[in-house]
Structures are given as C-alpha cells and as structure tokens.
Amino acid sequence: MRAILQKRALRFVFGANMISMLGSGMNSAAVAWYILQATHSEMALGIFAVLQTIPAMLMLPFTGVLIDREDRRRLVMMLDAIRAVIIVMVAVLAFTHRVKVWELYLMNTLVSAGFWMFWPTITALIQELTPGEEFVHANTFLLAGVQGGWLLAGSIVGFAYNHIGLGGVLLVDVSTYVVSFLCYFAVRSGRHVVPRPAELRADIVAAETALDRFVREMREGFQFLRGRRSLILLGASWALFLGAMLTGVVVTAPLSDQVFHAGAVGYGWLNAGWGIGAFVSALYTPWLIAEIGSRRAIAIAMGVLAICMILAPLSPWLAIAVLAYGAMGSARGISSVAMNTSIMEQVPQHFMGRVQNTFYFAGTALQMVVGFLVGAVAQYNLVAGFSIIGLVYVAAFVSANWPAGAAKPMHETSPAE
C-alpha cells in the first residue's frame, strides 16, 4: 500500500478526488435538503434522483468510445471546469434568494452529465497509472477518499446548512472543483492515450469514415463482453448496487425529518454514519478481499446493505439508525473496491471505458425506475420505500452468488479486436 502513495501521479489523483467529492457531497446533500423543505414531498426527491439518470441514458452508450480513445486526464479536467461554471451560476441565484426548484433540477441534470462521464474516466485512468498487483490498494485509496469526502460532506451540510445556506454550500463545491482541476493538471504533462492492439487490415481502417470507426469501436465493446459470464454477472451486481445506492437520497432526508424529527442535524448524523463507515472500511477491505476473494466480499457487502436498509427506518432511536448507516457505508466501501478491482483485472485498458459504460447504463436505467417507484411509495409509507431499495440489494446479492465459472482471460478477444 505504501508503494501506491510513492507514485506522484496517483497521490494527485487521490487528493483531487477526495477534495472534489467533499464539495460534490455537500452540493448533493444541501440541494436534497432544500428541495424537501421547499416542497415537503418525497416524490420531489424521487424526481431529483431520476433526473440524474437522463444524461446517463443519453450519453453512456457513446462516451465509452471517447474515454478509450482520448487522454483521460484531460477529459477529467474538462469535466471539472464545466461543472464548476454551471454551479457558480446557481450559487449566485441562491445568494440573491431567487433560486427555484426547477433551476436546481436543471443544475443537477447538467452536473450529472459530467458525473456519469467522470467515473468511468477516472477508473480507467487509475487502471492506466497503477501496476496490476496494486489494483486492490489503488481502489481502496480511491474509494476511501471518495466516500470520506462525499459522504462526510453530508454531515457537514447537516451541521452547517443553517449558517451558510444553499449558496454558501454551492460556492464551497465550486472551490473544490478548482483545486481538483489543478491537481489533475499536475498529474503529468502532454497528451497520453492508451495504446491499442492491431485492429484490422490497414486498407480497411483507411477506408472507414469517422462514423464507421465509431460504430465499429462500440461493437467491439459488446463483442468483448460476449461469453464472459463472470464479468456479466459482476456487471449485473454493479448495476443493481448503483441503482439502489443512488436512490438512497430519496429516503434519507425524510427519515430524519419525519421519523426522528431531528431536522438537518439528524440528516447530518445519518450521512456521517455512512461516511465514517465507508472511510473506516479502507482499513480492512484489502485484507478481507485477500482472505475470501472479491466475489464473496461483494456478496457479503450486498447482504449487509440489504438487511440494514430494510431495518433502518424501524430503528427506535436515531443513534441505532446512524449505526445501521455506518454498516451500510462500510459495505459500500468493500463492494466498490472489490467490484472496481475485479473489472480492472478482467478488462484490458483499451476497453475500460466501453465496458464500464455498459454497466453504468444498466444501473442508471434501473435508478430511473427505482427512483420514481421509491418516491411514490415513500410519500405514503417510508418503511416500504426503504424496503424497495433493500430488495434491489437482495437482487445484487443473488447476482454476486450466481455460479459464474472461471473468468475468461482479458487477452482473449474477438478477431476484430
């Protein structure tokens, strides 16, 4: 693990992610709380969660090719800059008390477009910069920073929202994007593109139009997945996990507000429980994966998430719910490291963007359905809303345990590749 921190480029990547996720987490928590207080509607939060999926559904089928073709560091820098500009405009509206819910929806939708391109890109960049034997440790550092930043940010919002307001939170988010941009700028210089193996005869490649090449590269991504049952089941678990996790924003704020009557502070404690659990999981995740393997670690984590999600709204006291959120945060950390590591081990660098985007597309499609369903159900019965999310985690548990056979080596690709 020490070898990872000795790599200058990775230190900047990990630092950038922790800082930017702190701001993004504060943004997400503050906007969700503002919408709940402005509308008093779980359905409004359901719409908030679902709108995050629209850019993904439009972009993910196409951006995987771009991620595999371009310099991933420069893509991340561009995404940071664009999102910072969007958020600062809404921050001005918030400070002048003119911000409307629909404007927050629009900001969330536009920023999510960057989010859905950012994560496959950063994972591919980490794979590119990390020796194969260090994938587990690299993902542990990445997810510890991300979870520590993103989810502890929710607790900061809970404790500081009444003092700095929505505008103040959004400005903090903008400042973290600036720092993140500078960190990625320092990772390396020049343009770096992942080398690709010989694809087709030179005469065929020369005769291709830009559209022909794009379609062929998309097709190659699907061809790579064909017959890789272990990787497909891993992707199913990832998609189910993603759809459930991102829907959690719909029920967490109402849990504090309606069940425990603890307001923004209770919301902060719930987010703190999740964030601390996710951050602490970095201490034992590499050991757990080494002892029982990535697939079994994923299954255990999905089981914990399912049980705690179903039981959290039944807690008699806020403190017990916070502990349940801590357990879920820990399971989230374990599953993310195990899933990312497994994908890196099974997918060549020049396919990472396309393969990841396939899984993200499935996860966001599920989030669209689950977000609306949970929002509508939680409006009348919050416990039932939590249970729906828990059942999605149960499905991820089943996928992780489904017999998969031996993983197909990543170098076995189709003749077109």
Side-chain angles (χ1 to χ4, degrees), residues 287-297 300:
W287 168 83
L288 181 65
I289 292 175
E291 288 293 317
I292 65 176
S294 294
R295 196 156 181 260
R296 192 169 297 175
I300 292 173

Side-chain angles (χ1 to χ4, degrees), residues 160-348:
Y161 183 86
N162 293 334
H163 301 286
I164 64 175
L166 178 62
V169 171
L170 294 180
L171 280 186
V172 171
D173 189 20
V174 171
S175 68
T176 62
Y177 278 121
V178 173
V179 175
S180 174
F181 180 93
L182 294 174
C183 286
Y184 282 110
F185 183 80
V187 165
R188 64 190 181 194
S189 60
R191 183 173 184 267
H192 295 258
V193 179
V194 172
R196 301 168 62 90
E199 296 170 338
L200 297 169
R201 295 200 321 268
D203 58 330
I204 296 177
V205 174
E208 284 184 326
T209 65
L211 179 60
D212 289 337
R213 180 189 174 194
F214 189 87
V215 171
R216 172 175 58 80
E217 289 177 352
M218 285 186 64
R219 186 173 62 249
E220 287 174 357
F222 292 115
Q223 289 173 340
F224 175 79
L225 281 171
R226 187 180 302 163
R228 288 177 164 82
R229 185 176 180 182
S230 175
L231 185 57
I232 291 172
L233 286 172
L234 174 63
S237 295
W238 176 255
L240 290 161
F241 161 71
L242 189 67
M245 183 191 69
L246 294 177
T247 308
V249 68
V250 178
V251 294
T252 299
L255 178 64
S256 172
D257 200 39
Q258 298 175 15
V259 176
F260 299 114
H261 308 289
V265 173
Y267 183 48
W269 279 114
L270 291 169
N271 280 291
W274 183 296
I276 292 170
F279 187 78
V280 170
S281 70
L283 300 176
Y284 50 81
T285 293
W287 168 83
L288 181 65
I289 292 175
E291 288 293 317
I292 65 176
S294 294
R295 196 156 181 260
R296 192 169 297 175
I298 294 168
I300 292 173
M302 292 301 106
V304 171
L305 281 162
I307 294 169
C308 291
M309 181 60 68
I310 292 171
L311 295 180
L314 303 176
S315 305
W317 301 292
L318 175 62
I320 295 178
V322 170
L323 290 175
Y325 267 69
M328 287 192 286
S330 182
R332 190 270 190 261
I334 293 169
S335 58
S336 293
V337 172
M339 288 178 180
N340 275 354
T341 299
S342 295
I343 291 174
M344 288 181 180
E345 290 172 345
Q346 297 182 50
V347 180

Side-chain angles (χ1 to χ4, degrees), residues 100-119:
K100 298 178 177 61
V101 170
W102 74 265
E103 292 167 337
L104 295 176
Y105 282 157
L106 179 60
M107 178 192 74
N108 178 65
T109 302
L110 295 175
V111 172
S112 292
F115 172 87
W116 291 116
M117 189 171 177
F118 172 86
W119 275 111

Side-chain angles (χ1 to χ4, degrees), residues 5 26 30 40 62 103 118 122 125 238 279 288 300 329 348 362 369 400:
L5 293 179
M26 290 181 67
H40 303 286
F62 309 104
E103 292 167 337
F118 172 86
I122 194 61
L125 180 61
W238 176 255
F279 187 78
L288 181 65
I300 292 173
V369 176

